[in-house]
Amino acid sequence: MYDITVRKRALALLGQGLTVSEVSRRTGVSRYAIREWSLRADQNRDLYAKHGTPCPRCAEPPRLPDPEGTYAYLLGLYLGDGYISPVGDRRKNVWSLRIVCADAWPGLVEQCSAALIAIRPDNKVRLIPRVGCVEVNSYSKHWPCLFPQHGPGKKHERKIELAPWQREIVDEFAMDLVRGLLHSDGSRFVNRVRRPLKGGERWYEYPRYNFTNVSLDIQRLFTDALDRLGIAWTQMNRKNISVARREAVARLDEFVGPKY
């Protein structure tokens, strides 16, 4: 058992932005205990928006999440590298939205955190170090309301279909959805191609984007958005979509660009 002084110090360090692992190293308290203290403290501070920003989908009448462009971006991140899971006692109906971001892209971690805060401003965002990546997560009772694609099993093993209100958002904010999908499951790189010529071999280099996802439904959301934006794409194989034409790459560069 830990005394109240240790608990207060651990929560204070969390409040300063330290991760659970960092607080555990500084205090000698197990990470499990720190997470439990943090969860209880969040409940006591009403960080699940009981008296804060109401859930737009639970309102009467239901509203669209605001800002809509940020929601479209967060939807792309969720469909690519995110999942929703219950937290603690299931009877409390609290959920965690978890999005995994590679350590190689610290800017992506910042943008993901900012999107979570923008959509649920009364909910705390946590950065949990994992091997080679960072888990960005936030607790709320309303993540399943905001992302009705949540369900049992892996996303590529079940039907992924947008609700009519989500379709309304992504039709208007297609660029934000594409940016979120590419930030999660995409890449921009320089492709090198060798061409045999009479005078010898010649190498060509050009930038291209690739989007990789096993779910055909999520692939279709990506390509439908590209079609709305007039961006040419090619199905490379069952799980890879390529954007390689010069004008198409230039168009994506306007609002996506390389991850950082």
mmCIF file of all heavy atoms in Angstrom, residues 102-126:
data_model
loop_
_atom_site.group_PDB
_atom_site.id
_atom_site.type_symbol
_atom_site.label_atom_id
_atom_site.label_comp_id
_atom_site.label_asym_id
_atom_site.label_seq_id
_atom_site.Cartn_x
_atom_site.Cartn_y
_atom_site.Cartn_z
ATOM 1 N N ALA A 102 3.861 6.159 -34.576
ATOM 2 C CA ALA A 102 5.254 5.728 -34.548
ATOM 3 C C ALA A 102 6.141 6.811 -33.939
ATOM 4 O O ALA A 102 5.907 8.013 -34.122
ATOM 5 C CB ALA A 102 5.732 5.392 -35.959
ATOM 6 N N ASP A 103 7.183 6.378 -33.207
ATOM 7 C CA ASP A 103 8.133 7.307 -32.612
ATOM 8 C C ASP A 103 8.815 8.184 -33.664
ATOM 9 O O ASP A 103 9.285 9.283 -33.355
ATOM 10 C CB ASP A 103 9.211 6.539 -31.834
ATOM 11 C CG ASP A 103 8.694 5.958 -30.526
ATOM 12 O OD1 ASP A 103 7.641 6.431 -30.047
ATOM 13 O OD2 ASP A 103 9.332 5.032 -29.992
ATOM 14 N N ALA A 104 8.891 7.676 -34.891
ATOM 15 C CA ALA A 104 9.589 8.411 -35.950
ATOM 16 C C ALA A 104 8.871 9.700 -36.345
ATOM 17 O O ALA A 104 9.465 10.553 -37.009
ATOM 18 C CB ALA A 104 9.751 7.522 -37.185
ATOM 19 N N TRP A 105 7.595 9.849 -35.933
ATOM 20 C CA TRP A 105 6.815 11.005 -36.362
ATOM 21 C C TRP A 105 6.270 11.775 -35.149
ATOM 22 O O TRP A 105 5.076 11.723 -34.854
ATOM 23 C CB TRP A 105 5.660 10.571 -37.259
ATOM 24 C CG TRP A 105 5.999 9.503 -38.258
ATOM 25 C CD1 TRP A 105 5.469 8.253 -38.343
ATOM 26 C CD2 TRP A 105 6.953 9.588 -39.316
ATOM 27 N NE1 TRP A 105 6.013 7.554 -39.368
ATOM 28 C CE2 TRP A 105 6.942 8.345 -40.004
ATOM 29 C CE3 TRP A 105 7.829 10.589 -39.759
ATOM 30 C CZ2 TRP A 105 7.759 8.089 -41.085
ATOM 31 C CZ3 TRP A 105 8.639 10.325 -40.836
ATOM 32 C CH2 TRP A 105 8.603 9.103 -41.486
ATOM 33 N N PRO A 106 7.127 12.511 -34.423
ATOM 34 C CA PRO A 106 6.637 13.272 -33.254
ATOM 35 C C PRO A 106 5.593 14.318 -33.619
ATOM 36 O O PRO A 106 4.709 14.635 -32.818
ATOM 37 C CB PRO A 106 7.909 13.911 -32.689
ATOM 38 C CG PRO A 106 8.892 13.916 -33.828
ATOM 39 C CD PRO A 106 8.576 12.687 -34.624
ATOM 40 N N GLY A 107 5.692 14.865 -34.833
ATOM 41 C CA GLY A 107 4.684 15.833 -35.252
ATOM 42 C C GLY A 107 3.307 15.211 -35.355
ATOM 43 O O GLY A 107 2.294 15.865 -35.074
ATOM 44 N N LEU A 108 3.249 13.947 -35.742
ATOM 45 C CA LEU A 108 1.969 13.240 -35.818
ATOM 46 C C LEU A 108 1.365 13.076 -34.429
ATOM 47 O O LEU A 108 0.149 13.218 -34.249
ATOM 48 C CB LEU A 108 2.165 11.879 -36.480
ATOM 49 C CG LEU A 108 0.941 10.949 -36.530
ATOM 50 C CD1 LEU A 108 -0.234 11.627 -37.207
ATOM 51 C CD2 LEU A 108 1.296 9.654 -37.246
ATOM 52 N N VAL A 109 2.200 12.785 -33.441
ATOM 53 C CA VAL A 109 1.715 12.663 -32.064
ATOM 54 C C VAL A 109 1.071 13.982 -31.624
ATOM 55 O O VAL A 109 -0.010 14.002 -31.018
ATOM 56 C CB VAL A 109 2.859 12.274 -31.116
ATOM 57 C CG1 VAL A 109 2.383 12.271 -29.665
ATOM 58 C CG2 VAL A 109 3.429 10.913 -31.483
ATOM 59 N N GLU A 110 1.716 15.097 -31.953
ATOM 60 C CA GLU A 110 1.176 16.408 -31.581
ATOM 61 C C GLU A 110 -0.153 16.671 -32.282
ATOM 62 O O GLU A 110 -1.104 17.163 -31.663
ATOM 63 C CB GLU A 110 2.183 17.495 -31.948
ATOM 64 C CG GLU A 110 3.483 17.438 -31.146
ATOM 65 C CD GLU A 110 4.478 18.481 -31.615
ATOM 66 O OE1 GLU A 110 4.122 19.286 -32.509
ATOM 67 O OE2 GLU A 110 5.612 18.499 -31.097
ATOM 68 N N GLN A 111 -0.223 16.367 -33.574
ATOM 69 C CA GLN A 111 -1.465 16.620 -34.308
ATOM 70 C C GLN A 111 -2.597 15.721 -33.833
ATOM 71 O O GLN A 111 -3.752 16.157 -33.745
ATOM 72 C CB GLN A 111 -1.222 16.418 -35.802
ATOM 73 C CG GLN A 111 -0.299 17.445 -36.416
ATOM 74 C CD GLN A 111 -0.112 17.246 -37.904
ATOM 75 O OE1 GLN A 111 -1.061 17.372 -38.689
ATOM 76 N NE2 GLN A 111 1.092 16.920 -38.313
ATOM 77 N N CYS A 112 -2.269 14.467 -33.512
ATOM 78 C CA CYS A 112 -3.282 13.549 -32.997
ATOM 79 C C CYS A 112 -3.811 14.046 -31.658
ATOM 80 O O CYS A 112 -5.028 14.059 -31.422
ATOM 81 C CB CYS A 112 -2.673 12.153 -32.868
ATOM 82 S SG CYS A 112 -3.797 10.923 -32.181
ATOM 83 N N SER A 113 -2.908 14.458 -30.765
ATOM 84 C CA SER A 113 -3.318 14.968 -29.449
ATOM 85 C C SER A 113 -4.200 16.198 -29.602
ATOM 86 O O SER A 113 -5.228 16.339 -28.923
ATOM 87 C CB SER A 113 -2.080 15.304 -28.617
ATOM 88 O OG SER A 113 -1.260 14.183 -28.430
ATOM 89 N N ALA A 114 -3.812 17.098 -30.500
ATOM 90 C CA ALA A 114 -4.585 18.318 -30.705
ATOM 91 C C ALA A 114 -5.982 18.003 -31.235
ATOM 92 O O ALA A 114 -6.964 18.653 -30.853
ATOM 93 C CB ALA A 114 -3.854 19.240 -31.676
ATOM 94 N N ALA A 115 -6.090 17.005 -32.094
ATOM 95 C CA ALA A 115 -7.402 16.630 -32.639
ATOM 96 C C ALA A 115 -8.299 16.059 -31.548
ATOM 97 O O ALA A 115 -9.498 16.375 -31.480
ATOM 98 C CB ALA A 115 -7.229 15.624 -33.774
ATOM 99 N N LEU A 116 -7.744 15.204 -30.691
ATOM 100 C CA LEU A 116 -8.530 14.641 -29.590
ATOM 101 C C LEU A 116 -9.043 15.744 -28.669
ATOM 102 O O LEU A 116 -10.205 15.734 -28.249
ATOM 103 C CB LEU A 116 -7.681 13.650 -28.795
ATOM 104 C CG LEU A 116 -7.421 12.292 -29.450
ATOM 105 C CD1 LEU A 116 -6.322 11.544 -28.699
ATOM 106 C CD2 LEU A 116 -8.686 11.461 -29.490
ATOM 107 N N ILE A 117 -8.182 16.705 -28.352
ATOM 108 C CA ILE A 117 -8.572 17.800 -27.465
ATOM 109 C C ILE A 117 -9.654 18.659 -28.124
ATOM 110 O O ILE A 117 -10.603 19.103 -27.464
ATOM 111 C CB ILE A 117 -7.344 18.647 -27.103
ATOM 112 C CG1 ILE A 117 -6.395 17.839 -26.215
ATOM 113 C CG2 ILE A 117 -7.757 19.930 -26.390
ATOM 114 C CD1 ILE A 117 -5.052 18.492 -25.980
ATOM 115 N N ALA A 118 -9.517 18.900 -29.416
ATOM 116 C CA ALA A 118 -10.492 19.737 -30.115
ATOM 117 C C ALA A 118 -11.883 19.107 -30.125
ATOM 118 O O ALA A 118 -12.891 19.807 -29.992
ATOM 119 C CB ALA A 118 -10.021 20.002 -31.547
ATOM 120 N N ILE A 119 -11.945 17.778 -30.281
ATOM 121 C CA ILE A 119 -13.240 17.101 -30.369
ATOM 122 C C ILE A 119 -13.858 16.874 -28.998
ATOM 123 O O ILE A 119 -15.073 16.995 -28.826
ATOM 124 C CB ILE A 119 -13.089 15.765 -31.125
ATOM 125 C CG1 ILE A 119 -12.631 16.025 -32.566
ATOM 126 C CG2 ILE A 119 -14.394 14.984 -31.130
ATOM 127 C CD1 ILE A 119 -13.560 16.914 -33.374
ATOM 128 N N ARG A 120 -13.039 16.532 -27.983
ATOM 129 C CA ARG A 120 -13.545 16.349 -26.616
ATOM 130 C C ARG A 120 -12.684 17.194 -25.677
ATOM 131 O O ARG A 120 -11.788 16.697 -24.981
ATOM 132 C CB ARG A 120 -13.497 14.870 -26.200
ATOM 133 C CG ARG A 120 -14.333 13.937 -27.036
ATOM 134 C CD ARG A 120 -15.809 14.274 -27.033
ATOM 135 N NE ARG A 120 -16.404 14.128 -25.711
ATOM 136 C CZ ARG A 120 -17.488 14.790 -25.311
ATOM 137 N NH1 ARG A 120 -18.060 15.667 -26.116
ATOM 138 N NH2 ARG A 120 -17.991 14.589 -24.119
ATOM 139 N N PRO A 121 -12.908 18.506 -25.631
ATOM 140 C CA PRO A 121 -12.016 19.412 -24.895
ATOM 141 C C PRO A 121 -11.992 19.207 -23.386
ATOM 142 O O PRO A 121 -11.054 19.668 -22.727
ATOM 143 C CB PRO A 121 -12.562 20.804 -25.253
ATOM 144 C CG PRO A 121 -13.972 20.569 -25.694
ATOM 145 C CD PRO A 121 -13.971 19.225 -26.349
ATOM 146 N N ASP A 122 -12.986 18.532 -22.818
ATOM 147 C CA ASP A 122 -13.005 18.318 -21.374
ATOM 148 C C ASP A 122 -12.347 17.011 -20.953
ATOM 149 O O ASP A 122 -12.357 16.666 -19.774
ATOM 150 C CB ASP A 122 -14.451 18.333 -20.856
ATOM 151 C CG ASP A 122 -15.095 19.689 -21.037
ATOM 152 O OD1 ASP A 122 -14.550 20.674 -20.513
ATOM 153 O OD2 ASP A 122 -16.120 19.772 -21.731
ATOM 154 N N ASN A 123 -11.767 16.291 -21.919
ATOM 155 C CA ASN A 123 -11.185 14.989 -21.613
ATOM 156 C C ASN A 123 -9.669 15.037 -21.728
ATOM 157 O O ASN A 123 -9.126 15.589 -22.686
ATOM 158 C CB ASN A 123 -11.752 13.919 -22.555
ATOM 159 C CG ASN A 123 -13.241 13.740 -22.378
ATOM 160 O OD1 ASN A 123 -14.021 14.549 -22.873
ATOM 161 N ND2 ASN A 123 -13.643 12.713 -21.683
ATOM 162 N N LYS A 124 -9.014 14.440 -20.770
ATOM 163 C CA LYS A 124 -7.554 14.434 -20.738
ATOM 164 C C LYS A 124 -6.988 13.532 -21.826
ATOM 165 O O LYS A 124 -7.533 12.473 -22.116
ATOM 166 C CB LYS A 124 -7.087 13.940 -19.363
ATOM 167 C CG LYS A 124 -5.582 13.946 -19.166
ATOM 168 C CD LYS A 124 -5.243 13.486 -17.752
ATOM 169 C CE LYS A 124 -3.739 13.455 -17.532
ATOM 170 N NZ LYS A 124 -3.403 13.002 -16.154
ATOM 171 N N VAL A 125 -5.878 13.964 -22.422
ATOM 172 C CA VAL A 125 -5.160 13.164 -23.416
ATOM 173 C C VAL A 125 -3.878 12.648 -22.778
ATOM 174 O O VAL A 125 -3.144 13.395 -22.144
ATOM 175 C CB VAL A 125 -4.834 13.986 -24.675
ATOM 176 C CG1 VAL A 125 -3.924 13.205 -25.618
ATOM 177 C CG2 VAL A 125 -6.120 14.384 -25.393
ATOM 178 N N ARG A 126 -3.626 11.359 -22.941
ATOM 179 C CA ARG A 126 -2.448 10.716 -22.354
ATOM 180 C C ARG A 126 -1.527 10.223 -23.457
ATOM 181 O O ARG A 126 -1.994 9.728 -24.471
ATOM 182 C CB ARG A 126 -2.864 9.534 -21.469
ATOM 183 C CG ARG A 126 -3.787 9.913 -20.330
ATOM 184 C CD ARG A 126 -4.445 8.676 -19.724
ATOM 185 N NE ARG A 126 -5.387 9.049 -18.698
ATOM 186 C CZ ARG A 126 -6.621 9.500 -18.932
ATOM 187 N NH1 ARG A 126 -7.048 9.610 -20.181
ATOM 188 N NH2 ARG A 126 -7.420 9.824 -17.935
#
